[in-house]
């Protein structure tokens, strides 16, 4: 049933070289080793998200397991890779996550303005409002760890723009702001720092040698450039269901007539979604969210319990012939036992009464390229198991 996938040259591989393929079945869908490919919808690149699903994998799983007009559900939507690919392929989408950054990013992608022109018009109006909000910015209310990343004038302008986005309910532009928040490149707002997990790069770029990198950075031109980059390859679908909830997956709404649940649950706390996204998260609510972790000392038990409650909640509302597709990261840290998440999930679908109508149709094993792991040197999650269940 399971096929081990071989990788030739990960990361640099052109899009159409096989990196992943079906173990069984008639159609051959492939995905690439790299997390992003040049022909991707540029909405995927609004801002980074650690643990994101490869876009080509999301697309392949959607095309293989649903058809146009179907409803796709993703209760752990993260960056919205599945949601955006589903929507771009003319599927309806109901997605959710308990992390405000994930929800904002997914909404930014699915509710983006119709055209580049419309986006620039919105930017102009929001920027205008931010000028009114600028005098209200008091950096003494901003924690020191946030202030360390920015020139004070850049930070004041960025916060005024953030407030204007919130006042206008503009998730797209707030997503764009978060997308240029920190990096070492000139198009970004922070002092030189990393792009994924926020760390200052002051050792590599000391202030005395790289003074220009520590000057004020104008926010508006950088936002304009970001919007233009985002509309290089936009999606054009409109009119289908698209609902994004901020919700604990254990309380996810129960939409009727689901054609496929396609989702990647958290990797047994392998990734810390709050710590790793802390600067962007702080900007969203001017504070960090609390309680976003699997509780309990026994990570395996917590993972099993989460999976059971989420899967059992959604399973009855999947149509006959519909799919439950789970992409689970195989943890190697902690328990030391490889492949536990895949094994736990399979066991659950085998033993639990709630899933007796589901049978395992396909499974794949896939490697995660280094670029998708936040801390390359640590063991972390190196491979994923993809399980495709079909409802009889
Ligand atoms: C592996 S990531 C999903 C990645 C996503 N497929 C993507 O492409 O970005 C797992 C997600 O589950 C979310 N999460 C963890 N526990 C959750 C819970 N109890 N309820 C809702 N979301 C949860 C995390 O915030 C994270 O975004």
């Amino acid at each position: 049933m399971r096929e081990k996938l071989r990788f030739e040259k990960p990361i640099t591989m052109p899009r159409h070289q096989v990196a992943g393929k079906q173990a069984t079945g008639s159609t051959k869908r492939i995905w690439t080793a790299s997390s992003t490919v040049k022909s991707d919808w540029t909405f995927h690149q609004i801002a980074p998200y650690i643990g994101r699903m490869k876009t080509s994998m999301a697309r392949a799983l959607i095309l293989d397991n649903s058809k146009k007009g179907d409803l796709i559900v993703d209760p752990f939507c993260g960056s919205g890779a599945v949601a955006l690919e589903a929507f771009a392929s003319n599927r309806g989408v109901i997605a959710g996550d308990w992390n405000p950054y994930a929800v904002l990013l997914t909404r930014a992608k699915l509710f983006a303005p119709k055209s580049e022109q419309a986006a620039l018009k919105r930017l102009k109006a929001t920027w205008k409002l931010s000028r009114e909000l600028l005098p209200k910015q008091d950096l003494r209310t901003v924690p020191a760890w946030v202030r360390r990343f920015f020139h004070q004038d850049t930070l004041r302008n960025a916060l005024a723009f953030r407030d204007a986005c919130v006042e206008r309910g503009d998730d797209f532009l707030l997503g764009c702001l978060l997308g240029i928040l920190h990096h070492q490149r000139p198009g970004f707002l922070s002092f030189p720092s990393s792009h994924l997990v926020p760390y200052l790069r002051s050792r590599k770029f000391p202030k005395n040698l790289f003074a220009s990198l520590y000057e004020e950075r104008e926010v508006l031109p950088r936002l304009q450039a970001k919007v233009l980059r985002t509309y290089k390859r936009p999606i054009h679908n409109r009119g289908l269901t698209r609902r994004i909830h901020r919700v604990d997956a254990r309380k996810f709404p129960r939409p009727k007539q689901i054609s496929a649940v396609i989702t990647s649950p958290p990797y047994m706390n392998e990734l810390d979604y709050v710590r790793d996204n802390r600067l962007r998260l702080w900007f969203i609510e001017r504070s960090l969210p609390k309680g976003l972790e699997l509780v309990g000392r026994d990570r395996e038990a917590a993972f099993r319990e989460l999976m059971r409650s989420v899967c059992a909640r959604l399973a009855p509302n999947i149509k006959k012939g519909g799919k439950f597709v789970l992409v689970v990261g195989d943890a190697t840290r902690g328990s030391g036992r490889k492949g536990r998440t895949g094994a736990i999930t399979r066991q659950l679908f085998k033993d639990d009464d709630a899933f007796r109508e589901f049978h395992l149709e396909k499974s794949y094993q896939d490697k995660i390229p280094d670029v998708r792991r936040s801390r390359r040197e640590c063991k972390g999650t190196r491979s994923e198991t993809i399980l495709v269940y079909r409802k009889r």
Side-chain angles (χ1 to χ4, degrees):
M1 178 74 79
R2 181 180 292 182
E3 179 171 296
K4 185 116 185 137
L5 300 170
R6 254 176 272 117
F7 283 73
E8 294 170 23
K9 278 190 184 162
I11 322 309
T12 53
M13 205 157 54
R15 184 174 177 199
H16 295 294
Q17 260 177 276
V18 175
K21 63 181 177 185
Q22 284 184 189
T24 56
S26 52
T27 32
K28 272 209 165 171
R29 294 275 174 225
I30 56 165
W31 56 75
T32 61
S34 171
S35 63
T36 48
V37 283
K38 285 217 171 89
S39 53
D40 270 351
W41 310 115
T42 36
F43 288 174
H44 277 303
Q45 287 142 33
I46 289 182
Y49 196 85
I50 285 158
R52 184 182 108 166
M53 192 188 291
K54 284 185 275 200
T55 52
S56 54
M57 178 191 282
R59 191 176 316 135
L61 293 174
I62 287 158
L63 296 181
D64 268 1
N65 295 295
S66 65
K67 52 184 195 319
K68 281 187 185 172
D70 277 355
L71 177 65
I72 308 288
V73 165
D74 182 355
F76 300 105
C77 68
S79 67
V82 169
L84 182 64
E85 285 298 330
F87 196 59
S89 321
N90 290 297
R91 275 73 165 162
V93 181
I94 302 183
D97 202 292
W98 68 1
N99 183 331
Y101 177 44
V103 173
L104 178 94
L105 208 44
T106 308
R107 285 189 183 145
K109 292 170 186 180
L110 267 75
F111 295 92
K114 279 194 178 114
S115 64
E116 179 186 288
Q117 222 183 2
L120 289 171
K121 202 171 156 198
R122 242 154 85 168
L123 173 58
K124 199 172 164 192
T126 310
W127 183 257
K128 198 170 161 210
L129 174 61
S130 79
R131 299 306 80 200
E132 291 166 30
L133 302 175
L134 187 62
K136 293 184 189 151
Q137 302 306 318
D138 178 359
L139 295 192
R140 286 170 304 184
T141 64
V142 177
W145 71 267
V146 174
R147 277 185 271 133
R148 283 180 61 227
F149 279 87
F150 304 95
H151 185 283
Q152 56 177 9
D153 295 327
T154 312
L155 181 56
R156 221 174 261 125
N157 279 296
L159 283 170
F161 187 73
R162 175 258 173 221
D163 288 354
C165 290
V166 171
E167 199 167 313
R168 289 170 57 90
D170 198 322
D171 292 333
F172 171 74
L173 286 176
L174 185 52
C176 288
L177 178 73
L178 300 186
I180 58 165
L181 206 55
H182 56 91
H183 202 339
Q184 63 196 41
R185 294 201 192 134
F188 290 71
L189 299 176
S190 70
F191 296 144
S193 64
S194 48
H195 190 34
L196 278 169
V197 180
Y199 288 109
L200 282 164
R201 294 241 153 105
S202 26
R203 263 208 219 145
K204 191 169 177 196
F205 301 100
K207 203 169 176 179
N208 55 341
L209 295 180
F210 296 90
S212 66
L213 299 181
Y214 293 84
E215 286 167 4
E216 181 189 354
R217 299 190 180 206
E218 274 190 76
V219 177
L220 183 58
R222 288 176 171 80
L223 278 168
Q224 283 164 333
K226 173 73 189 171
V227 168
L228 296 182
R229 286 200 296 276
T230 304
Y231 277 85
K232 256 185 163 172
R233 285 178 304 281
I235 64 161
H236 297 290
N237 287 345
R238 294 289 180 266
L240 289 162
T241 309
R242 41 188 166 144
R243 264 178 262 143
I244 317 298
H245 301 279
R246 180 174 169 187
V247 67
D248 185 330
R250 288 166 282 202
K251 296 185 180 144
F252 199 81
R254 288 190 250 221
K256 298 240 164 15
Q257 297 291 305
I258 302 172
S259 302
V261 175
I262 301 177
T263 195
S264 49
Y267 304 167
M268 264 207 241
N269 277 1
E270 280 282 306
L271 298 175
D272 183 335
Y273 295 97
V274 173
R275 199 201 58 177
D276 289 354
N277 295 309
R278 59 189 177 275
L279 198 50
R280 295 188 178 98
L281 271 168
W282 186 86
F283 258 74
I284 295 172
E285 297 187 333
R286 285 181 177 254
S287 64
L288 289 178
K290 291 200 171 71
L292 301 188
E293 56 193 19
L294 292 179
V295 281
R297 273 159 140 216
D298 184 343
R299 297 204 288 176
E300 275 194 22
F303 176 76
R304 195 177 296 114
E305 167 48 31
L306 175 70
M307 292 301 281
R308 206 219 155 259
S309 80
V310 177
C311 295
R313 190 173 173 84
L314 293 171
N317 289 6
I318 296 181
K319 286 198 280 195
K320 225 172 154 189
K323 305 289 181 77
F324 214 124
V325 183
L326 292 148
V327 179
V328 286
D330 293 328
T332 52
R333 241 178 359 174
S335 72
R337 280 174 293 175
K338 217 178 161 203
R340 287 296 297 156
T341 45
I344 292 170
T345 312
R346 285 174 87 132
Q347 202 62 41
L348 181 72
F349 270 74
K350 216 167 136 195
D351 294 347
D352 202 299
D353 248 14
F355 311 114
R356 62 176 182 277
E357 293 168 293
F358 288 84
H359 74 276
L360 186 61
E361 190 179 60
K362 291 163 200 156
S363 80
Y364 319 80
Q365 199 73 35
D366 197 10
K367 282 186 188 165
I368 301 179
D370 269 356
V371 284
R372 278 181 62 224
R373 289 191 285 119
S374 50
R375 293 170 291 280
R376 295 174 199 195
E377 68 284 359
C378 86
K379 276 202 213 153
T381 306
R382 287 186 183 271
S383 70
E384 285 165 329
T385 301
I386 299 107
L387 302 168
V388 181
Y389 289 92
R390 187 170 190 276
K391 192 170 183 179
R392 290 192 187 91

